[in-house]
Amino acid sequence: MTLDISIVPSAHPRSAAEVAEILANPGFGIHFTDHMFTVEWTPEKGWHDARITAYGPLTLDPATAVLHYAQEIFEGMKAYRHDDGSVWTFRPEENAQRMVRSSHRLALPVLEADDFVQAVDALVTVDERWVAEPGTEKSLYIRPFMIASEAFLGVRPAQHVTFMVIASPAGAYFKGGIKPLTLWLTEEYTRAGRGGMGAAKTGGNYASSLVAQQEAIDQGCDQVVFLDAAEGRYVEELGGMNMYFVYADGHIVTPETGTILEGITRSAIIDLAEKSGHQVEERKISIDEWRDGVSSGEITEVFACGTAAVVTPVGTLKWAGGEVGGSTEAGALTMQIRQSLVDIQYGRADDTFGWMHKVL
Ligand code: PLP
Ligand code: COI
């Protein structure tokens, strides 16, 4: 707790009726709370001028480095309300530490994990009324991000950096609730190469995924699957989710880390699955193993996971010239893992792993 945060409440907060109307049907990433958190960094002063102010547009010099060279990192996490009215986040230190790893890759300054958590807690506390009532699986999606805010066109790490936190009430990420996704295999585009930024949560990775994601939509699919850049053979992840494969003998496989985002949901699922007696392998899985396994029945369920999407079943894999799967029902283990996870997040099950962090 080292940040000295000043709070200037919004002069025009949304009315209780407006908040209620938004929370009734929040969608994803459309509406924002009344406030935002900001702190600045320079080499001379370190992190300074921490403040919570009214949510609103930023004024940026057109030469601001992030607009040109994409020196930027972000996080995604959620706050959940429990039945007793308390508000909790899920493994916030993991997000904080992942942001530290991302900051090393993007040559951005380190914001200490304690300060990250303090900033998130402070914003959630001020905008507490935006965390939906329990029982609905709604939550408050929290988006911390760090940008190169120095106005300078030379290519070098920025000497003025800004870290902010904004928050947005969230319902289901996919319209239509939990129904199996159809994935599109891109054989043209890759997401991350050796020595690249694949493990960092940085805007450039998402920018580079958009053309492939658009191709998926054009093919009538929901999301795109990326393969490794070196051989075009091994499954990596989706544009915003990690992947899991369930085998007929009960063991499950998830692609190993290295060039993929080290998902916090992914890591929680390893613990949940192992606790319920399923062996988990983190290893390379080839696209042929996926296709053949689904065709032969050796792979019985496929699912994707992430903060925004939670745990989402995958029904069909399509590629240029073929498809496998076709299941329209979510798999039993997929739904069991999903339920165990959300029960912990919403305080309906014991937090045996110590994942939940009480905000207020
Ligand atoms: N992979 C990518 C590319 C993502 O954007 C995300 C979402 O944050 C994930 C995986 C899942 O990570 P997490 O479970 O930490 O949300
Ligand atoms: C998340 O799950 O938090 C993500 O960041 C995925 C997407 C919204 C970018």
Side-chain angles (χ1 to χ4, degrees), residues 197-214:
M197 309 193 296
K201 201 158 170 63
T202 180
N205 287 338
Y206 298 79
S208 89
S209 77
L210 296 177
V211 64
Q213 174 63 24
Q214 189 54 47

Side-chain angles (χ1 to χ4, degrees), residues 29-75:
I30 311 165
H31 303 283
F32 298 90
T33 64
D34 294 309
H35 297 90
M36 60 190 190
F37 171 91
T38 310
V39 62
E40 315 288 343
W41 177 91
T42 58
E44 300 77 34
K45 292 170 87 173
W47 291 105
H48 63 278
D49 197 12
R51 58 206 190 265
I52 289 178
T53 54
Y55 184 94
L58 307 180
T59 301
L60 292 178
D61 189 295
T64 301
V66 67
L67 301 176
H68 301 271
Y69 310 125
Q71 193 193 4
E72 184 269 356
I73 56 180
F74 69 96
E75 274 301 324

Side-chain angles (χ1 to χ4, degrees), residues 94-110:
E94 297 291 323
N95 293 94
Q97 270 148 21
R98 187 168 65 190
M99 184 164 249
V100 169
R101 296 197 296 277
S102 298
S103 66
H104 291 317
R105 183 63 186 84
L106 271 291
L108 283 162
V110 167

Side-chain angles (χ1 to χ4, degrees), residues 147-209:
I147 59 171
S149 45
E150 183 182 2
F152 175 62
L153 290 184
V155 182
R156 57 144 170 78
Q159 303 297 295
H160 189 155
V161 170
T162 304
F163 170 79
M164 300 188 69
V165 187
I166 57 173
S168 169
Y173 184 63
F174 293 110
K175 292 195 207 87
I178 308 165
K179 62 173 200 313
L181 301 177
T182 299
L183 302 184
W184 172 252
L185 176 69
T186 174
E187 289 168 282
E188 182 176 3
Y189 301 107
T190 58
R191 196 187 158 273
R194 193 174 64 84
M197 309 193 296
K201 201 158 170 63
T202 180
N205 287 338
Y206 298 79
S208 89
S209 77

